Amino acid sequence: MLRSSRAVLATAACLVSLSVFADTASAAQGLFMFDLSRPSLHDSKPRPGYKVKSNKVRLAPEFRRQIVAYKSNQKAGTIIVNTGEKHLYLVLGDGKALRYGIGTARDGFEWSGTHKVSNKREWPGWTPPEEMKRRQPNLPDYMPGGINNPLGARAIYIGSTLYRIHGTNEPWTIGQDVSSGCIRMVNDDVEDLYERVKIGAKVIVL
């Protein structure tokens, strides 16, 4: 009886250890893995270039946040959005920049220009523009901030335009032409950028 009890306890301890190991490994990779079970407003699905397994999506290496060599005559703190590359660069100075993967405007909604950051919001609410509601009549008049909101965890407002640099509840769309003009990032990345960028910073969209 004693041996049987010890065997049961040993088995239970093994299972707990495996569970803790799995949770720790998952947390360590959390920067690049995202839960696909959260609902969204759109029917977009994971695209090529992303690994999908067990309801998770991992960013392709070229879209992961990283410091890169970057030549620019812009001062540190400037945001440069290269829509062709699907990269956003935050100029650091000394020939370096922090590079993020982004999702950009689909055909017919592209734009370019130079503006300044005019506002910043955490977990912003979303009021779909009238022209967007005409294209998608099922959209609500207003959606409060939260995990189901397509603006994601943070929004950085670009000048007096309708466009923002914002998070997303569809992380698999990074690297794609998917938006109506806004620049989207995974929530981890837009939270990082949000903390680094000041209101009044220059934003250049190429």
Side-chain angles (χ1 to χ4, degrees), residues 10-201:
T11 301
C14 181
L15 290 173
V16 169
S17 297
L18 288 172
S19 176
V20 170
F21 175 79
D23 289 344
T24 303
S26 177
Q29 295 179 348
L31 178 61
F32 305 127
M33 298 189 73
F34 309 91
D35 188 354
L36 296 184
S37 62
R38 293 176 179 174
S40 72
L41 287 177
H42 308 95
D43 295 326
S44 56
K45 301 184 186 306
R47 307 293 183 86
Y50 298 85
K51 296 179 180 179
V52 180
K53 186 177 181 181
S54 301
N55 211 35
K56 300 286 185 179
V57 60
R58 185 194 301 272
L59 281 179
E62 63 267 29
F63 298 128
R64 297 177 187 176
R65 182 170 76 234
Q66 56 193 289
I67 294 176
V68 297
Y70 190 74
K71 293 182 178 180
S72 174
N73 58 4
Q74 299 296 327
K75 68 179 183 179
T78 300
I79 295 173
I80 300 176
V81 179
N82 191 316
T83 56
E85 289 183 6
K86 304 296 182 287
H87 286 140
L88 180 151
Y89 296 88
L90 176 64
V91 177
L92 301 177
D94 297 324
K96 295 186 181 298
L98 189 55
R99 190 181 76 184
Y100 306 82
I102 57 174
T104 57
R106 61 186 184 272
D107 289 345
F109 293 88
E110 305 96 333
W111 65 282
S112 61
T114 300
H115 298 274
K116 291 185 177 181
V117 172
S118 56
N119 201 357
K120 297 163 58 177
R121 294 282 178 83
E122 298 184 9
W123 294 106
W126 182 48
T127 302
E130 288 302 320
E131 54 270 28
M132 182 179 287
K133 289 176 67 177
R134 285 194 290 270
R135 296 193 302 270
Q136 298 175 265
N138 61 320
L139 291 179
D141 293 330
Y142 175 78
M143 178 176 284
I147 60 172
N148 297 330
N149 190 303
L151 297 186
R154 302 288 186 273
I156 298 169
Y157 294 76
I158 303 175
S160 59
T161 74
L162 295 175
Y163 305 122
R164 312 165 185 84
I165 300 166
H166 63 75
T168 183
N169 58 358
E170 298 175 339
W172 58 90
T173 60
I174 300 304
Q176 307 295 326
D177 297 324
V178 290
S179 78
S180 297
C182 287
I183 310 301
R184 69 173 63 174
M185 309 171 71
V186 297
N187 283 334
D188 284 331
D189 282 355
V190 78
E191 289 175 8
D192 181 83
L193 181 65
Y194 183 97
E195 295 300 325
R196 298 174 185 272
V197 170
K198 297 179 180 180
I199 291 178

